[in-house]
Amino acid sequence: MKTTILVTGGTGFIGSHTCVALLEAGHDVVVLDNLCNSDATVIKRIGQICNREPGFIEGDIRDSALLKNIFDEHNVNAVMHFAGLKAVGDSVQLPLAYYENNVSGTLNLLMTMRAAAVKTMVFSSSATVYGNPASVPITEDFPRSTTSPYGATKLVIEDILADLYQAEPDWRLARLRYFNPVGAHESGLIGENPRGVPNNLMPFIAQTAAGLREELTIFGDNYDTIDGTGVRDYLHVVDLANGHVAALDYLQQRQELLTVNLGTGQGISVLEMISAFEKTNHCNVPYRISDRRTGDIAKCWADTRLACQLLGWQSSRTLENMCADSWRWQNSLRNSTP
Ligand code: NAD
Ligand code: WQD
């Protein structure tokens, strides 16, 4: 069924790739983003990839009047909700800003949706809700906990959605728990563009390979893992975007609260990632080993069977695809810098 989707945070990393997937699936898309961590040129780039642009409104999910106008003026059927602040370290320094933006923003969005009788939302949750898991792979029924205010905002929003569904079962709600999204669109036109020093591994590797950073610091090599470095479930962002379209299709068939992991089910260590990046892209990533980063866990990867069973979705892109696409994007960023 063709629908109009409101994509909050649609100029950001995951939102922009999901706009492409939605447009390619034939949906109409309207993006709402306050550009606090992205820029509006992304809309034109999405247009170049898809031969049609999404609508764009610069604004904030906390602005009730603006949201009401959007629902009045566009025939929105569903919301994909990516807008939020996401830096774990910043959230420790700025907890109120994180709760206000992420939790109050989401509440505001849900209340305006209800007033407009739009009752379908796909929400960006995170593997961070599993805290430090007792074992791997992680299934959706693992206990939830958190180590940061950022993670706490995801827990609270997950609970808000569960309570809402319990009280009003005519909603269609998805809580998608992403593992570690990396890579970029294969066109080289959209990707992750962190402001300042990247917190996450893949952009740091790409910037180091490009010579923008002297070396990568590996946070600990004495974990109980294959080579002592941290192990994660890295997932290509285009696969992740396609998972959103699958979740939307699923919700169009039923009124449900859906909770699924989106990952590959495969754990990759920091050293394995560096080696794959160097080999794929014929480049060099100098590194040194330092102490563990506070709050890091040893290993984390998804049990992906539920997503496959319910959504018919699984990742298809390889580690080499992730490395090649990140590198292409890094180089296109360099070439587009004046
Ligand atoms: P991103 O920062 O690239 O995108 C988020 C977008 O939301 C940005 O464009 C930002 O400008 C916008 N935004 C933030 N607050 C807003 C507000 N109040 N009103 C309107 N727009 C606002 O981040 P991303 O990596 O694309 O993440 C998208 C979502 O997925 C986030 O909710 C994030 O917490 C979640 N998530 C991300 C990861 C990851 O590793 N990238 C992992 C799990 C979950
Ligand atoms: C991956 C591995 C690091 C950088 C974070 C958030 C999580 C989620 C995704 C949103 C770890 C190591 C990293 C570096 C390194 N976001 N590393 N040197 O920590 O799994 O998850 O982003 O929900 O909530 O916590 O991802 O990319 O930061 O780290 O050695 O410079 O790389 O120790 O083992 P993480 P990451």
Side-chain angles (χ1 to χ4, degrees):
M1 185 176 42
K2 185 178 157 175
T3 52
T4 299
I5 316 296
L6 174 65
V7 180
T8 75
T11 49
F13 174 43
I14 306 167
S16 59
H17 290 81
T18 305
C19 287
V20 169
L22 287 167
L23 289 165
E24 283 176 346
H27 298 290
D28 288 330
V29 174
V30 177
V31 168
L32 171 66
D33 201 303
N34 67 3
L35 304 180
C36 71
N37 198 36
S38 55
D39 79 89
T41 59
V42 169
I43 298 293
K44 290 228 165 330
R45 289 160 173 261
I46 295 169
Q48 274 176 269
I49 296 169
C50 299
N51 289 323
R52 64 187 176 113
E53 275 181 28
F56 176 58
I57 296 145
E58 182 177 343
D60 201 293
I61 54 168
R62 292 164 291 180
D63 182 341
S64 312
L66 174 66
L67 284 178
K68 183 178 179 309
N69 275 344
I70 293 172
F71 288 116
D72 284 348
E73 283 169 21
H74 300 268
N75 190 20
V76 174
N77 307 92
V79 176
M80 293 235 177
H81 178 32
F82 298 92
L85 302 176
K86 65 162 181 176
V88 174
D90 284 356
S91 79
V92 176
Q93 306 303 320
L94 302 166
L96 297 183
Y98 270 68
Y99 283 108
E100 209 261 322
N101 194 75
N102 295 3
V103 179
S104 300
T106 303
L107 271 178
N108 195 41
L109 179 59
L110 286 166
M111 288 192 291
T112 326
M113 284 173 68
R114 183 169 53 185
V118 176
K119 295 198 164 186
T120 304
M121 176 190 273
V122 177
F123 168 64
S124 304
S125 189
S126 166
T128 198
V129 301
Y130 296 116
N132 192 351
S135 61
V136 277
I138 301 168
T139 50
E140 287 80 357
D141 55 2
F142 268 38
R144 298 178 317 150
S145 67
T146 185
T147 52
S148 70
Y150 166 72
T153 69
K154 295 297 180 193
L155 286 182
V156 172
I157 297 168
E158 281 206 352
D159 288 343
I160 290 170
L161 295 178
D163 290 343
L164 175 60
Y165 183 73
Q166 171 85 19
E168 299 177 26
D170 60 334
W171 283 77
R172 299 160 192 260
L173 301 167
R175 308 186 296 185
L176 304 184
R177 294 177 178 162
Y178 316 154
F179 280 66
N180 289 58
V182 296
H185 194 267
E186 61 178 14
S187 62
L189 285 166
I190 54 172
E192 186 173 15
N193 193 1
R195 294 186 175 169
V197 182
N199 296 306
N200 295 117
L201 180 64
M202 187 60 118
F204 209 108
I205 288 180
Q207 291 192 7
T208 308
L212 300 173
R213 314 251 160 226
E214 203 176 317
E215 60 184 6
L216 169 75
T217 304
I218 297 184
F219 299 134
D221 67 348
N222 56 359
Y223 286 106
D224 177 20
T225 61
I226 180 171
D227 55 24
T229 64
V231 169
R232 297 290 184 274
D233 185 339
Y234 297 96
L235 166 73
H236 197 294
V237 65
V238 173
D239 282 333
L240 178 58
N242 292 336
H244 288 73
V245 178
L248 181 67
D249 287 348
Y250 181 89
L251 290 181
Q252 284 178 338
Q253 313 297 324
R254 48 185 81 64
Q255 296 172 342
E256 197 174 299
L257 172 68
L258 168 75
T259 306
V260 286
N261 291 338
L262 295 181
T264 64
Q266 208 199 339
I268 300 292
S269 76
V270 177
L271 285 171
E272 286 174 327
M273 181 59 96
I274 294 170
S275 164
F277 197 94
E278 290 182 329
K279 205 166 147 204
T280 305
N281 299 316
H282 311 287
C283 63
N284 187 28
V285 181
Y287 64 82
R288 73 181 172 87
I289 310 287
S290 83
D291 293 342
R292 294 179 177 190
R293 182 172 65 178
T294 310
D296 267 0
I297 57 176
K299 47 193 168 193
C300 170
W301 65 87
D303 186 316
T304 59
R305 285 174 298 177
L306 192 65
C308 186
Q309 189 190 319
L310 296 182
L311 307 180
W313 174 89
Q314 56 190 358
S315 66
S316 63
R317 286 163 181 80
T318 63
L319 186 59
E320 287 68 35
N321 296 145
M322 301 177 208
C323 292
D325 292 339
S326 292
W327 186 229
R328 187 181 303 106
W329 167 243
Q330 179 63 48
N331 286 319
S332 75
L333 271 178
R334 183 163 39 183
N335 296 336
S336 65
T337 307

